[in-house]
């Protein structure tokens, strides 16, 4: 018997890997809400994104047949009412996966972020309802709905937390909408910082999270060197960091695998943390990043006292990513581990320095290939 | 090329007193003073590649688009009332060009610097440029310089654009006989002045934006990755630009101190590659202290036949005392600025280019030491004094062995 899944955000990083994982089971069909682009139809765009994700995940082209045969684009947009979809011709889905989201976090994009993440979730809930989803509405949220809270973060719908930015605020609101939709038997999945595939280390799209941080550091290096040759190598930077902070990074294939396994389970729990139970220290990860980008090791400090202008700008420039390095959060995984079972250890959790360096090196090479220093400008100004 | 006297460029890091030299030379009977040509036609260096297409001939239309075109950075600044102080084109309601129309590049400074009848000169120049056959870019611009030289009855031309020190390799390659007057000023005073100067602030903002985005938002409608721009730069995209956003740009003197050091390091390396008789280095502080010998030496370098005592007297009389100095800054800012300028001072010292007047470049004795032990002080807060002292000792060891003549 065919199990039908409806997925939003299927061309994104987590969404595409989720679809690959769903397709791994024979008899599964996936319908993915997809926008058309100016150059590609929705179907072409989806197929192309999935093939790209398959290569990044190390699949050979044998999977392409399954992608073409069992995955279908449904043209629409979470920003439209009912996602712009007429459900007449669609098979009734067993599970609905709402992954589409805006990963922006800047205040100036707040309206867009709320429109995509809150109104988009409202529209996805409406579509799930009208499509008559059989089992569950699965919402992929973020572990960082915890906002400024530190310490043990429980797998429960919480309230009263202070978000760090509009992204977190929008995800908190969206979780509220999902939680209230009891008729859809909702499940809320909260991945932490999702990184590349645990075997290939590669990412197919959506360089956010840790990759956004790496990119910022590289840009900083390039900018300093553009202002003065070798400045980046000479300027030892002070960066504010909590020495006890843990950076909860988890490979995308581990996330996708856990989503699908919990999705297929009979668990009655609502909230699941898809996080790394053994995260590396944030300070160690940042050391690896600086080393891989040929920068002098940063000096970790506890506050901004005495920082020079460059250091202050680095501090401001890190923006969203600063919260990764401040305070210690421990994400409870009781629901997830109970549902998944803990008999087999997950090798993807391992994040020693050498492993982290492999993830960073892959992306640093990508960046170096695409973001060379621009030609130095000549005459400046009077 | 018809000029028998080899071309001369006055180069510097910017905000180093070069405008003063342009104004003095304008008054010389034999020398055509070309002011801010490179800055204007390259639109604060943002259009360098368009102005000087590498190895490709430039036809008359291209040349005129460079010279008489409205360039995006200058136009944005003009529309929002933050144009450079050096701009000489009169923005009266009756003027041919205004804030809304924009002002053609060569009318910003270069032509009004030569004549009050700049609009008519602009039209004459266009008619001349439109006769050009395709040729390499620099040859076309030199034709313009020589046409202006003949038009004003001069025997030599001297181009001077602020911040053109970094253009030396290109200028030397394009005009193999070119000579350079390098004017040097204490980096700390340059940096303070740059941090207040709209041209330098715009240049720095565009440099940062281009580096973050990987493309120039003033030259394309592409907006990929703009979410990565910090707010203060996002507000300076052409579609968001405003006088208030520009005024609030955080670009302090210390940043420009680093920039000044970088320019000095790169510039002195380029000048050192040239024969010594093609470079004259002058310190701004020396001109202020004793103008006449230095002005005499400068025109003698351009051509010995230009030495004119009346001109020297008149030029020296135009010098005004400098109003601000880095020494007026609060101690902490002085210190940060001195740290930022240290690599520039070191490279000047290495090339034996301290000013005769003395006192302008040397840093306080403690600056170099503090720069090296600072990480240890920071470390002490985490690992304790003992480990930090060990680090400081190691650093100090390197200071004393590697920098016997700390500048």
């Amino acid at each position: 018997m065919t199990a039908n899944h409806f997925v939003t955000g299927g061309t994104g990083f987590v969404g595409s890997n989720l679809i690959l994982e769903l397709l791994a089971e024979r008899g599964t069909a996936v319908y993915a809400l997809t926008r058309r682009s100016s150059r590609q139809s929705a179907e072409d765009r989806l197929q192309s994104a999935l093939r790209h994700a398959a290569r990044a995940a190390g699949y050979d082209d044998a999977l392409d047949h399954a992608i073409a045969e069992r995955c279908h684009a449904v043209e629409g947009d979470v920003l439209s009412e009912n996602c712009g979809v007429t459900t007449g011709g669609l098979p009734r889905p067993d599970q609905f996966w709402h992954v589409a989201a805006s990963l922006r976090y800047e205040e100036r994009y707040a309206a867009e972020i709320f429109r995509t993440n809150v109104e988009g979730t409202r529209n996805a809930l409406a579509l799930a309802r009208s499509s008559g989803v059989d089992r569950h509405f699965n919402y992929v949220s973020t572990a960082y709905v915890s906002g400024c809270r530190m310490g043990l973060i429980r797998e429960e719908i919480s309230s009263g937390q202070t978000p760090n930015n509009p992204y977190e605020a929008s995800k908190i609101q969206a979780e509220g909408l999902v939680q209230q939709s009891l008729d859809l038997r909702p499940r809320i999945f909260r991945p932490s910082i999702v990184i590349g595939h645990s075997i290939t280390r590669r990412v197919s799209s959506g360089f956010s999270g840790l990759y956004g941080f790496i990119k910022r550091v590289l840009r900083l290096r390039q900018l300093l060197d553009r202002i003065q040759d070798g400045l980046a190598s000479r300027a030892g930077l002070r960066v504010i960091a909590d020495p006890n902070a843990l950076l909860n990074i988890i490979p995308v294939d581990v996330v996708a695998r856990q989503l699908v396994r919990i999705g297929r389970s009979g668990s009655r729990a609502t909230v699941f943390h898809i996080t790394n139970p053994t995260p590396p220290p944030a300070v160690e990860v940042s050391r690896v990043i600086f080393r891989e980008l040929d920068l002098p090791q940063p000096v970790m400090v506890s506050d901004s006292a005495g920082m020079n202008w460059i250091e202050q700008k680095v501090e401001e420039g890190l923006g969203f990513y600063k919260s990764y390095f401040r305070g210690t959060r421990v994400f409870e995984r009781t629901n997830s581990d109970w549902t998944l079972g803990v008999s087999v250890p997950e090798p993807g959790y391992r994040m020693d320095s050498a492993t982290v360096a492999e993830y960073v090196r892959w992306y640093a090479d990508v960046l170096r290939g695409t973001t060379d220093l621009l030609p130095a400008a000549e005459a400046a100004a009077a | 090329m018809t000029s028998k006297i080899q071309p001369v460029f006055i180069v510097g890091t910017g905000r180093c007193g070069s405008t003063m030299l342009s104004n003095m030379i304008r008054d010389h009977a034999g020398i055509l003073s070309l002011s801010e040509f490179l800055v204007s036609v390259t639109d604060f260096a943002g259009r360098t590649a368009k102005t000087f297409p590498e190895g490709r001939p430039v036809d008359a239309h291209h040349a005129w688009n460079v010279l008489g075109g409205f360039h995006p950075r200058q136009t944005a600044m003009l529309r929002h009332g933050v144009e450079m102080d050096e701009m000489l084109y009169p923005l009266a309601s009756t003027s041919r060009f205004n804030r809304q129309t924009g002002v053609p590049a060569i009318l910003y400074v270069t032509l009004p610097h030569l004549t009050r009848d700049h609009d008519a000169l602009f039209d004459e120049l266009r008619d001349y440029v439109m006769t050009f056959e395709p040729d390499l870019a620099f040859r076309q611009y030199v034709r313009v310089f020589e046409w202006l030289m003949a038009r004003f009855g001069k025997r030599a031309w001297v181009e001077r654009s602020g911040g053109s020190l970094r253009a030396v390799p290109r200028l030397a390659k394009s005009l193999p006989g070119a000579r350079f007057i390098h004017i040097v000023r204490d980096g700390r005073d340059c940096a303070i002045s740059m941090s207040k100067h709209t041209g330098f602030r715009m240049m720095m903002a565009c440099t940062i934006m281009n580096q973050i985005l990987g493309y120039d938002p003033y030259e394309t409608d592409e907006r990929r990755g703009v979410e990565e721009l910090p707010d203060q730069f996002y507000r300076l995209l052409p579609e968001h630009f405003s006088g208030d956003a520009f005024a609030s740009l955080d670009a302090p003197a210390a940043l420009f101190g680093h920039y000044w050091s970088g320019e000095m390091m790169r510039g002195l390396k380029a000048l050192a590659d040239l024969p010594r008789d093609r470079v004259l280095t002058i310190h701004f502080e020396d001109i202020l202290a004793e103008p006449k010998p230095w002005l005499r030496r400068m025109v003698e370098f351009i051509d010995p036949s230009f030495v004119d005592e009346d001109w020297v007297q008149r030029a020296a009389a135009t010098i005004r005392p400098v109003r601000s100095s880095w020494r007026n800054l609060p101690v902490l800012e002085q210190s940060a600025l001195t740290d930022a300028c240290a690599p520039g001072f070191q490279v000047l010292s290495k090339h034996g280019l301290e000013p005769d007047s003395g006192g302008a470049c040397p840093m306080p004795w403690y600056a170099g030491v503090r720069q090296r032990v600072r990480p240890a002080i920071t470390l002490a807060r985490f690992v304790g004094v003992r480990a930090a002292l060990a680090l400081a000792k190691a650093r100090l060891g390197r200071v004393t062995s590697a920098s016997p003549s700390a500048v």
Side-chain angles (χ1 to χ4, degrees), chain A residues 173-191:
Chain A
Q173 273 195 35
E175 278 198 4
L177 292 175
V178 172
Q179 181 217 1
Q180 289 159 20
S181 303
L182 296 174
D183 55 318
L184 296 173
R185 283 183 284 175
R187 282 171 169 167
I188 294 170
F189 296 95
R190 291 178 180 162

Side-chain angles (χ1 to χ4, degrees), chain B residues 372-373 376 386-402:
Chain B
R372 287 163 176 82
V373 300
R386 202 167 164 182
L389 276 176
L391 176 60
K393 195 174 164 189
R395 296 265 181 176
L396 280 168
R398 255 182 280 157
V399 172
T400 47
S401 60

Side-chain angles (χ1 to χ4, degrees), chain A residues 21 97 187 255-266 339-342 344 346:
Chain A
E21 190 66 30
W97 299 88
R187 282 171 169 167
V255 170
R257 207 157 44 238
Q258 296 192 358
L259 290 178
V260 171
R261 283 182 60 196
I262 295 171
R264 285 177 179 146
S265 76
T339 307
L340 293 165
V342 288
V344 183
E346 170 56 67

Side-chain angles (χ1 to χ4, degrees), chain B residues 134-340:
Chain B
D135 201 350
L136 293 177
F138 233 105
R139 290 194 196 148
Q140 305 285 40
Y141 305 135
V142 167
R143 282 191 182 95
V144 170
F145 299 166
E146 295 189 341
W147 180 83
L148 287 168
M149 198 172 75
R151 171 80 167 61
F152 286 91
K154 310 275 183 165
R155 292 194 294 119
W157 57 262
V158 174
E159 199 284 339
R160 193 277 327 165
S161 286
S164 60
L165 181 59
R166 61 168 47 195
V168 168
R170 182 187 293 276
L171 298 173
K173 185 178 163 199
S174 305
L175 296 169
R179 294 170 300 143
F180 299 91
I181 298 170
H182 178 205
I183 178 160
V184 178
R185 184 185 183 190
D186 187 313
R188 292 163 289 195
D189 287 327
C190 292
I192 291 169
S193 183
M194 287 172 183
S195 70
K196 297 172 185 166
H197 186 267
T198 57
F200 269 95
R201 288 166 63 81
M202 187 64 173
M203 179 278 297
M204 185 60 77
C206 288
T207 299
I208 294 172
M209 281 196 283
N210 295 358
Q211 197 61 56
I212 293 172
L213 294 173
Y215 59 86
D216 183 348
Y218 276 83
E219 298 293 340
T220 173
D221 292 334
E222 183 181 353
R223 288 296 177 263
R224 178 176 38 86
V226 288
E227 63 277 7
E228 291 181 32
L229 286 177
D231 284 347
Q232 64 165 338
F233 297 109
Y234 182 80
R235 291 199 296 268
L236 295 180
L237 289 169
E239 60 271 31
H240 303 306
F241 194 96
S242 71
D244 287 344
F246 189 73
S248 63
L249 175 70
D250 180 18
L255 170 66
F256 286 102
H258 289 294
Y259 170 81
W260 178 86
S261 287
E263 293 303 286
M264 199 53 79
M265 291 157 74
R266 189 175 5 209
L268 290 186
K269 186 169 180 290
L271 289 171
D273 288 341
L274 297 172
R276 293 186 77 171
D277 63 346
R278 284 172 57 192
V279 181
L280 172 69
T281 302
I282 301 179
H283 286 272
F284 177 67
E285 292 80 8
D286 289 344
I287 300 178
L288 293 188
E290 213 175 348
K292 289 175 191 169
W294 283 104
L295 296 175
R296 209 173 285 122
R297 199 161 157 189
M298 181 176 75
V299 284
E300 193 176 12
F301 177 81
I302 298 169
D303 193 80
S305 67
F306 288 139
V307 175
D308 170 355
E309 286 309 317
D310 285 347
W311 175 82
V312 171
Q313 296 290 341
R314 287 199 309 278
T318 63
I319 294 175
R320 298 283 173 268
V322 177
R323 283 168 295 177
S324 63
S325 161
W326 65 272
R327 292 184 176 85
N328 300 332
L329 291 176
V331 172
L332 280 177
E333 286 181 44
Q334 276 190 29
S335 160
L337 192 49
T338 300
D339 283 351

Side-chain angles (χ1 to χ4, degrees), chain A residues 104 106 108-109 215-216 219 222-223 226-229 231 234 236 238 243 299-303 305 308-311 313 372-374 376-382, chain B residues 15 36 39 44-45 48 86 162-163 166 170 197 199-200 207-208 210-212 226-231 234 250 252 255 258-259 261-262 266 343 374 378 381-382:
Chain A
R104 287 181 166 170
E106 299 90 345
R108 66 176 184 256
Y109 295 118
K215 192 172 179 181
R216 290 236 165 156
R219 295 279 197 224
Q222 292 175 326
L223 184 58
R226 195 162 187 212
I227 289 170
Q228 185 193 113
D229 288 344
L231 179 58
R234 288 193 300 274
R238 286 173 288 190
V299 177
M300 305 299 175
V301 296
S302 57
D303 58 49
N308 63 31
W309 185 86
I310 291 177
E311 291 164 335
K313 289 295 127 184
D372 286 342
L373 283 173
L374 294 172
E378 286 180 358
Chain B
R15 310 310 294 158
E36 308 290 13
V39 167
F44 301 112
T48 303
E86 289 82 351
R166 61 168 47 195
R170 182 187 293 276
H197 186 267
F200 269 95
T207 299
I208 294 172
N210 295 358
Q211 197 61 56
I212 293 172
V226 288
E227 63 277 7
E228 291 181 32
L229 286 177
D231 284 347
Y234 182 80
D250 180 18
L255 170 66
H258 289 294
Y259 170 81
S261 287
R266 189 175 5 209
R374 194 184 64 188
T378 310
R381 292 154 69 181
F382 285 89

Side-chain angles (χ1 to χ4, degrees), chain B residues 45-115:
Chain B
R47 291 196 149 183
T48 303
K50 284 184 180 171
T51 308
F52 304 106
E54 202 67 50
R56 245 182 336 114
V58 163
D59 66 13
H61 285 282
H62 185 116
W64 186 246
N65 280 340
V66 169
L67 300 167
F70 303 95
H71 296 329
R73 279 152 284 259
Q74 287 162 8
T75 303
M77 293 170 72
L78 192 62
R79 290 208 172 132
H80 295 278
V82 291
E83 64 277 4
M84 292 194 300
D85 287 345
E86 289 82 351
M87 178 170 163
L88 296 176
Y89 190 82
L91 292 169
S93 57
T94 53
S95 296
R96 178 171 165 186
F97 300 104
N98 55 47
R99 291 191 186 281
Q100 287 318 306
T101 61
V103 171
I106 202 161
L107 269 177
Y108 246 76
V109 181
T110 311
L111 298 188
H113 178 71
L114 298 174
T115 172

